[in-house]
Amino acid sequence: MTTGDLVFQTYVPGKVILSGEHAVVNGYAAVVVPINAFLTLSIKRNQNAAVFTVISATTGTKEIFSPSELSMLFIAPPQPRPTPCAAMVHALALCAKARGLSSDTVISSIMGLTVSVDSELPMGAGMGSSAALCTAMARTAVHIVSQLPREPEQRMSDSPLPLSSPPSLAPIQLDASVYDVALALEHLFHGKSSGIDVFCCLNPNLVTVSRTGVHSTLAMPEGAPGIEIVVVHSGVERSTADAVAMVQGNADYKRVLGQIGAISAETARLLGEGMTGDALETALASEQHLEALGLSVPSIGHILSIGQQLSPPWVGKISGAGLGGAVIFPVVAGTRDTRPLLDAVRAAGFEAALYSTGC
Ligand SMILES: Nc1ncnc2c1ncn2[C@@H]1O[C@H](COP(=O)(O)OP(=O)(O)O)[C@@H](O)[C@H]1O
Ligand SMILES: C[C@@](O)(CCOP(=O)(O)O)CC(=O)O
């Protein structure tokens, strides 16, 4: 814990993908729901005004930077899988550029601040930990930079963010740029991110993605039953970027992703009509296609078989990039006792928890 006054705080939810992981990277549909587990980013002013500090309780890291070290980081090209401090600085650099501010102005405004990240989302588990981190940092950077006065000589050279905006959205102004900045960061973690996780973090509704970069929210009809999700961690932490690269190397991937996309589109249609149970049954059919892409690992197979052996059986699926990460068992809220499933997977040594959607 850091001492000092709290100057900013933001909470970002995690997510699970009901259907459409990988398909959405290639332009097909996916359905994603936020869950009631959060990443928190807090900023406090500390007593040492000569350094900028970024702490992650999740990774147990503490990065302390002087102004000259920060200057180097500001101008360095962003690296894949950045540290929390490098990600925060990249977000600030993008916002500074959009507002026509020099790095020195931004750096002097953040000296003496400590950014602390704490998260309920296991990393590399398909629950959107990197998207939550990127969204929290983007929100923070936009907040910090929007407080700074513009430099007089730059007033006429206001430029849009140097990022590709989804074509469906109006040109992004600074105050509305959290999505773009978060997506730029998420690209560093995913290699090529569809943006679905970031969009979900920013929207406490169901999200459908009809094609890469074009997102829409889907509100559940009034009175439609909600969703509860047992999430079981396979114990295998993996990189989304590696899983995406592996899928793109599969000779048959476009055909299989098309099938997953069709399942997602049907899932979204059923959810939109309030037929939650049918929607979940449909979404779960995508598991066989994810397995055909080679995204399962022995512990995922083990978890799925534990569910199958219960009476009545529980049907689950990989959620997220695969090759490890999470297995989800979604169910219409209030229709099934989840304790036998939770007990069975925990007895086999897996970490598991029950979540509800934020919808
Ligand atoms: N709370 C956190 N603190 C520091 N780094 C984090 C945190 N959450 C996520 N990350 C970063 O995100 C990476 C995981 O991203 P990714 O492979 O996309 O998996 P996920 O499915 O969890 O988003 C971690 O290896 C780490 O670099
Ligand atoms: C595999 C993918 O479709 C979803 C990734 O989810 P996660 O990183 O496992 O939370 C990648 C993406 O959409 O950018």
Side-chain angles (χ1 to χ4, degrees):
M1 281 296 284
T2 54
T3 54
D5 295 335
L6 187 66
V7 292
F8 182 78
Q9 192 162 50
T10 183
Y11 301 89
V12 183
K15 65 93 204 11
V16 298
I17 300 180
L18 292 181
S19 171
E21 44 277 275
H22 295 284
V24 66
V25 178
N26 288 269
Y28 300 107
V31 179
V32 183
V33 288
I35 54 171
N36 58 338
F38 295 85
L39 178 142
T40 308
L41 185 156
S42 314
I43 302 186
K44 289 184 176 175
R45 193 165 291 286
N46 62 41
Q47 283 171 348
N48 186 351
V51 294
F52 175 65
T53 308
V54 179
I55 297 171
S56 168
T58 324
T59 52
T61 51
K62 182 174 188 175
E63 300 170 87
I64 305 174
F65 278 75
S66 67
S68 58
E69 289 166 332
L70 279 178
S71 291
M72 305 277 285
L73 206 51
F74 254 83
I75 55 171
Q79 299 297 314
R81 299 176 205 179
T83 67
C85 188
M88 189 66 243
V89 167
H90 185 49
L92 287 163
L94 290 171
C95 292
K97 187 165 184 184
R99 202 169 162 86
L101 295 175
S102 69
S103 55
D104 285 350
T105 302
V106 178
I107 289 169
S108 58
S109 77
I110 61 174
M111 297 320 293
L113 298 183
T114 296
V115 174
S116 301
V117 177
D118 206 347
S119 182
E120 298 169 341
L121 303 165
M123 296 191 299
M127 293 167 70
S129 75
S130 62
L133 180 72
C134 297
T135 304
M137 290 191 159
R139 211 174 252 165
T140 304
V142 167
H143 173 78
I144 289 173
V145 172
S146 66
Q147 311 262 305
L148 298 174
R150 291 184 184 210
E151 287 153 24
E153 69 277 16
Q154 300 285 353
R155 275 199 183 123
M156 300 309 291
S157 63
D158 206 7
S159 60
L161 283 173
L163 305 165
S164 58
S165 301
S168 64
L169 298 179
I172 303 269
Q173 300 302 312
L174 187 72
D175 287 350
S177 66
V178 175
Y179 172 84
D180 259 5
V181 176
L183 182 60
L185 297 186
E186 181 76 325
H187 284 324
L188 301 177
F189 286 102
H190 280 200
K192 174 190 173 193
S193 171
S194 67
I196 190 172
D197 289 5
V198 166
F199 189 82
C200 183
C201 285
L202 288 167
N203 289 278
N205 289 303
L206 284 170
V207 178
T208 56
V209 177
S210 53
R211 60 184 187 278
T212 305
V214 181
H215 314 295
S216 57
T217 57
L218 174 72
M220 303 271 272
E222 194 81 16
I227 302 170
E228 287 176 342
I229 303 161
V230 172
V231 180
V232 186
H233 197 323
S234 66
V236 181
E237 192 179 324
R238 85 293 174 269
S239 147
T240 300
D242 293 346
V244 170
M246 194 203 82
V247 166
Q248 312 279 325
N250 182 308
D252 202 22
Y253 80 94
K254 284 194 177 148
R255 187 185 63 79
V256 179
L257 295 182
Q259 291 171 326
I260 295 176
I263 287 172
S264 307
E266 179 63 1
T267 301
R269 187 187 71 76
L270 291 164
L271 283 173
E273 290 183 4
M275 298 167 71
T276 309
D278 291 346
L280 297 180
E281 199 179 319
T282 301
L284 289 167
S286 60
E287 172 62 19
Q288 56 173 305
H289 301 299
L290 295 172
E291 288 179 15
L293 290 169
L295 290 166
S296 192
V297 293
S299 55
I300 288 178
H302 187 186
I303 294 163
L304 291 170
S305 72
I306 292 171
Q308 283 291 342
Q309 282 158 24
L310 294 172
S311 179
W314 280 87
V315 182
K317 72 174 273 289
I318 293 167
S319 183
L323 293 182
V327 172
I328 60 165
F329 294 89
V331 65
V332 176
T335 58
R336 263 194 98 168
D337 183 3
T338 54
R339 270 171 306 182
L341 176 60
L342 286 164
D343 290 347
V345 290
R346 284 174 183 154
F350 295 105
E351 281 182 24
L354 175 65
Y355 298 100
S356 58
T357 68
C359 321

PDB file of all heavy atoms in Angstrom, residues 15 17 20-22 24-25 126-128 130 190 192-197 238 240 244 319-321, ligand 2:
ATOM      1  N   LYS A  15     -14.111  -9.967 -18.190  1.00  0.00           N
ATOM      2  CA  LYS A  15     -15.128 -10.453 -19.132  1.00  0.00           C
ATOM      3  C   LYS A  15     -14.930 -11.950 -19.384  1.00  0.00           C
ATOM      4  O   LYS A  15     -13.845 -12.492 -19.116  1.00  0.00           O
ATOM      5  CB  LYS A  15     -15.032  -9.701 -20.467  1.00  0.00           C
ATOM      6  CG  LYS A  15     -13.705  -9.958 -21.220  1.00  0.00           C
ATOM      7  CD  LYS A  15     -13.807 -11.084 -22.189  1.00  0.00           C
ATOM      8  CE  LYS A  15     -12.678 -11.855 -22.655  1.00  0.00           C
ATOM      9  NZ  LYS A  15     -11.405 -12.095 -22.450  1.00  0.00           N
ATOM     10  N   ILE A  17     -15.804 -14.651 -22.741  1.00  0.00           N
ATOM     11  CA  ILE A  17     -16.327 -14.760 -24.100  1.00  0.00           C
ATOM     12  C   ILE A  17     -17.258 -15.967 -24.144  1.00  0.00           C
ATOM     13  O   ILE A  17     -16.836 -17.090 -23.871  1.00  0.00           O
ATOM     14  CB  ILE A  17     -15.176 -14.917 -25.121  1.00  0.00           C
ATOM     15  CG1 ILE A  17     -14.235 -13.702 -25.049  1.00  0.00           C
ATOM     16  CG2 ILE A  17     -15.730 -15.097 -26.529  1.00  0.00           C
ATOM     17  CD1 ILE A  17     -13.058 -13.744 -26.017  1.00  0.00           C
ATOM     18  N   GLY A  20     -17.009 -17.040 -29.873  1.00  0.00           N
ATOM     19  CA  GLY A  20     -16.430 -16.202 -30.914  1.00  0.00           C
ATOM     20  C   GLY A  20     -14.985 -15.811 -30.727  1.00  0.00           C
ATOM     21  O   GLY A  20     -14.458 -15.022 -31.522  1.00  0.00           O
ATOM     22  N   GLU A  21     -14.298 -16.358 -29.682  1.00  0.00           N
ATOM     23  CA  GLU A  21     -12.877 -16.039 -29.569  1.00  0.00           C
ATOM     24  C   GLU A  21     -12.165 -16.503 -30.837  1.00  0.00           C
ATOM     25  O   GLU A  21     -12.552 -17.486 -31.465  1.00  0.00           O
ATOM     26  CB  GLU A  21     -12.224 -16.662 -28.308  1.00  0.00           C
ATOM     27  CG  GLU A  21     -12.562 -18.088 -27.974  1.00  0.00           C
ATOM     28  CD  GLU A  21     -13.873 -18.183 -27.205  1.00  0.00           C
ATOM     29  OE1 GLU A  21     -13.911 -18.054 -25.991  1.00  0.00           O
ATOM     30  OE2 GLU A  21     -14.884 -18.432 -27.913  1.00  0.00           O
ATOM     31  N   HIS A  22     -11.173 -15.805 -31.212  1.00  0.00           N
ATOM     32  CA  HIS A  22     -10.394 -16.006 -32.451  1.00  0.00           C
ATOM     33  C   HIS A  22     -11.200 -15.652 -33.702  1.00  0.00           C
ATOM     34  O   HIS A  22     -10.683 -14.987 -34.592  1.00  0.00           O
ATOM     35  CB  HIS A  22      -9.814 -17.424 -32.560  1.00  0.00           C
ATOM     36  CG  HIS A  22      -8.792 -17.707 -31.496  1.00  0.00           C
ATOM     37  ND1 HIS A  22      -7.521 -17.203 -31.554  1.00  0.00           N
ATOM     38  CD2 HIS A  22      -8.886 -18.389 -30.317  1.00  0.00           C
ATOM     39  CE1 HIS A  22      -6.849 -17.575 -30.462  1.00  0.00           C
ATOM     40  NE2 HIS A  22      -7.653 -18.292 -29.694  1.00  0.00           N
ATOM     41  N   VAL A  24     -13.437 -13.514 -33.947  1.00  0.00           N
ATOM     42  CA  VAL A  24     -13.577 -12.051 -33.983  1.00  0.00           C
ATOM     43  C   VAL A  24     -12.300 -11.364 -34.495  1.00  0.00           C
ATOM     44  O   VAL A  24     -12.361 -10.290 -35.079  1.00  0.00           O
ATOM     45  CB  VAL A  24     -14.020 -11.527 -32.593  1.00  0.00           C
ATOM     46  CG1 VAL A  24     -12.938 -11.748 -31.553  1.00  0.00           C
ATOM     47  CG2 VAL A  24     -14.412 -10.074 -32.644  1.00  0.00           C
ATOM     48  N   VAL A  25     -11.174 -12.000 -34.336  1.00  0.00           N
ATOM     49  CA  VAL A  25      -9.928 -11.423 -34.863  1.00  0.00           C
ATOM     50  C   VAL A  25      -9.956 -11.426 -36.393  1.00  0.00           C
ATOM     51  O   VAL A  25      -9.299 -10.637 -37.049  1.00  0.00           O
ATOM     52  CB  VAL A  25      -8.705 -12.233 -34.349  1.00  0.00           C
ATOM     53  CG1 VAL A  25      -7.403 -11.687 -34.924  1.00  0.00           C
ATOM     54  CG2 VAL A  25      -8.647 -12.214 -32.835  1.00  0.00           C
ATOM     55  N   GLY A 126      -7.884 -15.722 -19.763  1.00  0.00           N
ATOM     56  CA  GLY A 126      -9.032 -15.524 -20.648  1.00  0.00           C
ATOM     57  C   GLY A 126     -10.123 -14.677 -20.034  1.00  0.00           C
ATOM     58  O   GLY A 126     -11.222 -14.585 -20.572  1.00  0.00           O
ATOM     59  N   MET A 127      -9.831 -14.039 -18.909  1.00  0.00           N
ATOM     60  CA  MET A 127     -10.842 -13.214 -18.255  1.00  0.00           C
ATOM     61  C   MET A 127     -10.604 -11.719 -18.496  1.00  0.00           C
ATOM     62  O   MET A 127     -11.202 -10.876 -17.838  1.00  0.00           O
ATOM     63  CB  MET A 127     -10.887 -13.527 -16.758  1.00  0.00           C
ATOM     64  CG  MET A 127     -11.408 -14.945 -16.512  1.00  0.00           C
ATOM     65  SD  MET A 127     -11.146 -15.499 -14.824  1.00  0.00           S
ATOM     66  CE  MET A 127     -12.313 -14.448 -13.959  1.00  0.00           C
ATOM     67  N   GLY A 128      -9.742 -11.436 -19.451  1.00  0.00           N
ATOM     68  CA  GLY A 128      -9.585 -10.048 -19.873  1.00  0.00           C
ATOM     69  C   GLY A 128      -8.705  -9.207 -18.967  1.00  0.00           C
ATOM     70  O   GLY A 128      -8.899  -7.992 -18.869  1.00  0.00           O
ATOM     71  N   SER A 130      -5.603  -8.254 -19.354  1.00  0.00           N
ATOM     72  CA  SER A 130      -4.822  -7.222 -20.054  1.00  0.00           C
ATOM     73  C   SER A 130      -5.741  -6.108 -20.548  1.00  0.00           C
ATOM     74  O   SER A 130      -5.375  -4.933 -20.505  1.00  0.00           O
ATOM     75  CB  SER A 130      -4.000  -7.820 -21.203  1.00  0.00           C
ATOM     76  OG  SER A 130      -4.833  -8.388 -22.174  1.00  0.00           O
ATOM     77  N   HIS A 190      -1.666  -8.409 -27.293  1.00  0.00           N
ATOM     78  CA  HIS A 190      -2.275  -9.463 -28.118  1.00  0.00           C
ATOM     79  C   HIS A 190      -1.586  -9.649 -29.460  1.00  0.00           C
ATOM     80  O   HIS A 190      -1.898 -10.593 -30.162  1.00  0.00           O
ATOM     81  CB  HIS A 190      -3.748  -9.125 -28.413  1.00  0.00           C
ATOM     82  CG  HIS A 190      -4.668  -9.450 -27.289  1.00  0.00           C
ATOM     83  ND1 HIS A 190      -6.018  -9.621 -27.462  1.00  0.00           N
ATOM     84  CD2 HIS A 190      -4.431  -9.649 -25.982  1.00  0.00           C
ATOM     85  CE1 HIS A 190      -6.577  -9.890 -26.296  1.00  0.00           C
ATOM     86  NE2 HIS A 190      -5.629  -9.900 -25.375  1.00  0.00           N
ATOM     87  N   LYS A 192      -2.333  -8.717 -32.298  1.00  0.00           N
ATOM     88  CA  LYS A 192      -3.377  -8.072 -33.100  1.00  0.00           C
ATOM     89  C   LYS A 192      -4.679  -8.287 -32.330  1.00  0.00           C
ATOM     90  O   LYS A 192      -5.206  -9.389 -32.311  1.00  0.00           O
ATOM     91  CB  LYS A 192      -3.443  -8.731 -34.476  1.00  0.00           C
ATOM     92  CG  LYS A 192      -4.579  -8.239 -35.354  1.00  0.00           C
ATOM     93  CD  LYS A 192      -4.688  -9.143 -36.589  1.00  0.00           C
ATOM     94  CE  LYS A 192      -5.922  -8.799 -37.416  1.00  0.00           C
ATOM     95  NZ  LYS A 192      -6.220  -9.845 -38.418  1.00  0.00           N
ATOM     96  N   SER A 193      -5.159  -7.241 -31.690  1.00  0.00           N
ATOM     97  CA  SER A 193      -6.375  -7.404 -30.878  1.00  0.00           C
ATOM     98  C   SER A 193      -7.605  -7.007 -31.681  1.00  0.00           C
ATOM     99  O   SER A 193      -7.579  -6.018 -32.406  1.00  0.00           O
ATOM    100  CB  SER A 193      -6.282  -6.525 -29.629  1.00  0.00           C
ATOM    101  OG  SER A 193      -7.521  -6.519 -28.963  1.00  0.00           O
ATOM    102  N   SER A 194      -8.664  -7.774 -31.508  1.00  0.00           N
ATOM    103  CA  SER A 194      -9.923  -7.403 -32.165  1.00  0.00           C
ATOM    104  C   SER A 194     -10.562  -6.198 -31.476  1.00  0.00           C
ATOM    105  O   SER A 194     -11.467  -5.585 -32.015  1.00  0.00           O
ATOM    106  CB  SER A 194     -10.894  -8.576 -32.111  1.00  0.00           C
ATOM    107  OG  SER A 194     -11.265  -8.806 -30.763  1.00  0.00           O
ATOM    108  N   GLY A 195     -10.151  -5.906 -30.256  1.00  0.00           N
ATOM    109  CA  GLY A 195     -10.735  -4.801 -29.506  1.00  0.00           C
ATOM    110  C   GLY A 195     -11.965  -5.200 -28.702  1.00  0.00           C
ATOM    111  O   GLY A 195     -12.517  -4.405 -27.946  1.00  0.00           O
ATOM    112  N   ILE A 196     -12.364  -6.458 -28.827  1.00  0.00           N
ATOM    113  CA  ILE A 196     -13.616  -6.872 -28.177  1.00  0.00           C
ATOM    114  C   ILE A 196     -13.512  -6.788 -26.653  1.00  0.00           C
ATOM    115  O   ILE A 196     -14.455  -6.363 -25.983  1.00  0.00           O
ATOM    116  CB  ILE A 196     -14.026  -8.283 -28.644  1.00  0.00           C
ATOM    117  CG1 ILE A 196     -15.430  -8.605 -28.175  1.00  0.00           C
ATOM    118  CG2 ILE A 196     -13.049  -9.327 -28.202  1.00  0.00           C
ATOM    119  CD1 ILE A 196     -15.969  -9.895 -28.756  1.00  0.00           C
ATOM    120  N   ASP A 197     -12.369  -7.186 -26.111  1.00  0.00           N
ATOM    121  CA  ASP A 197     -12.221  -7.177 -24.652  1.00  0.00           C
ATOM    122  C   ASP A 197     -12.278  -5.742 -24.122  1.00  0.00           C
ATOM    123  O   ASP A 197     -12.923  -5.461 -23.109  1.00  0.00           O
ATOM    124  CB  ASP A 197     -10.878  -7.797 -24.248  1.00  0.00           C
ATOM    125  CG  ASP A 197     -10.829  -9.293 -24.471  1.00  0.00           C
ATOM    126  OD1 ASP A 197     -11.794  -9.842 -25.022  1.00  0.00           O
ATOM    127  OD2 ASP A 197      -9.817  -9.907 -24.095  1.00  0.00           O
ATOM    128  N   ARG A 238      -1.173 -18.574 -20.178  1.00  0.00           N
ATOM    129  CA  ARG A 238      -0.673 -18.547 -21.556  1.00  0.00           C
ATOM    130  C   ARG A 238      -0.774 -17.148 -22.111  1.00  0.00           C
ATOM    131  O   ARG A 238      -1.431 -16.294 -21.541  1.00  0.00           O
ATOM    132  CB  ARG A 238      -1.437 -19.576 -22.426  1.00  0.00           C
ATOM    133  CG  ARG A 238      -2.726 -19.035 -22.980  1.00  0.00           C
ATOM    134  CD  ARG A 238      -3.739 -18.775 -21.890  1.00  0.00           C
ATOM    135  NE  ARG A 238      -4.947 -18.140 -22.340  1.00  0.00           N
ATOM    136  CZ  ARG A 238      -5.175 -16.817 -22.387  1.00  0.00           C
ATOM    137  NH1 ARG A 238      -4.251 -15.960 -22.024  1.00  0.00           N
ATOM    138  NH2 ARG A 238      -6.323 -16.353 -22.808  1.00  0.00           N
ATOM    139  N   THR A 240      -2.100 -14.619 -24.948  1.00  0.00           N
ATOM    140  CA  THR A 240      -3.095 -14.466 -26.015  1.00  0.00           C
ATOM    141  C   THR A 240      -2.391 -14.320 -27.363  1.00  0.00           C
ATOM    142  O   THR A 240      -2.816 -14.907 -28.372  1.00  0.00           O
ATOM    143  CB  THR A 240      -3.961 -13.236 -25.732  1.00  0.00           C
ATOM    144  OG1 THR A 240      -4.610 -13.437 -24.482  1.00  0.00           O
ATOM    145  CG2 THR A 240      -5.003 -13.019 -26.819  1.00  0.00           C
ATOM    146  N   VAL A 244      -3.191 -16.602 -30.643  1.00  0.00           N
ATOM    147  CA  VAL A 244      -3.680 -16.013 -31.900  1.00  0.00           C
ATOM    148  C   VAL A 244      -2.748 -16.405 -33.048  1.00  0.00           C
ATOM    149  O   VAL A 244      -3.193 -16.826 -34.119  1.00  0.00           O
ATOM    150  CB  VAL A 244      -3.789 -14.471 -31.775  1.00  0.00           C
ATOM    151  CG1 VAL A 244      -4.044 -13.817 -33.131  1.00  0.00           C
ATOM    152  CG2 VAL A 244      -4.912 -14.098 -30.795  1.00  0.00           C
ATOM    153  N   SER A 319     -12.809 -20.386 -22.746  1.00  0.00           N
ATOM    154  CA  SER A 319     -13.232 -18.996 -22.945  1.00  0.00           C
ATOM    155  C   SER A 319     -11.988 -18.126 -23.014  1.00  0.00           C
ATOM    156  O   SER A 319     -11.143 -18.168 -22.127  1.00  0.00           O
ATOM    157  CB  SER A 319     -14.135 -18.532 -21.812  1.00  0.00           C
ATOM    158  OG  SER A 319     -14.588 -17.219 -22.059  1.00  0.00           O
ATOM    159  N   GLY A 320     -11.847 -17.380 -24.092  1.00  0.00           N
ATOM    160  CA  GLY A 320     -10.631 -16.604 -24.294  1.00  0.00           C
ATOM    161  C   GLY A 320      -9.731 -17.334 -25.268  1.00  0.00           C
ATOM    162  O   GLY A 320     -10.161 -18.215 -26.012  1.00  0.00           O
ATOM    163  N   ALA A 321      -8.476 -16.980 -25.219  1.00  0.00           N
ATOM    164  CA  ALA A 321      -7.557 -17.422 -26.269  1.00  0.00           C
ATOM    165  C   ALA A 321      -7.312 -18.926 -26.305  1.00  0.00           C
ATOM    166  O   ALA A 321      -6.940 -19.472 -27.333  1.00  0.00           O
ATOM    167  CB  ALA A 321      -6.235 -16.691 -26.106  1.00  0.00           C
TER     168      ALA A 321
HETATM  169  C1  LIG B   2      -8.435 -14.697 -28.864  1.00  0.00           C
HETATM  170  C2  LIG B   2      -9.198 -13.374 -28.829  1.00  0.00           C
HETATM  171  O1  LIG B   2     -10.276 -13.433 -29.744  1.00  0.00           O
HETATM  172  C3  LIG B   2      -9.809 -13.119 -27.463  1.00  0.00           C
HETATM  173  C4  LIG B   2      -8.751 -13.011 -26.406  1.00  0.00           C
HETATM  174  O2  LIG B   2      -9.217 -13.066 -25.131  1.00  0.00           O
HETATM  175  P1  LIG B   2      -8.214 -13.190 -23.878  1.00  0.00           P
HETATM  176  O3  LIG B   2      -6.974 -12.397 -24.125  1.00  0.00           O
HETATM  177  O4  LIG B   2      -7.923 -14.613 -23.690  1.00  0.00           O
HETATM  178  O5  LIG B   2      -8.978 -12.574 -22.799  1.00  0.00           O
HETATM  179  C5  LIG B   2      -8.227 -12.254 -29.228  1.00  0.00           C
HETATM  180  C6  LIG B   2      -8.899 -10.946 -29.599  1.00  0.00           C
HETATM  181  O6  LIG B   2     -10.122 -10.889 -29.805  1.00  0.00           O
HETATM  182  O7  LIG B   2      -8.153  -9.964 -29.746  1.00  0.00           O
END
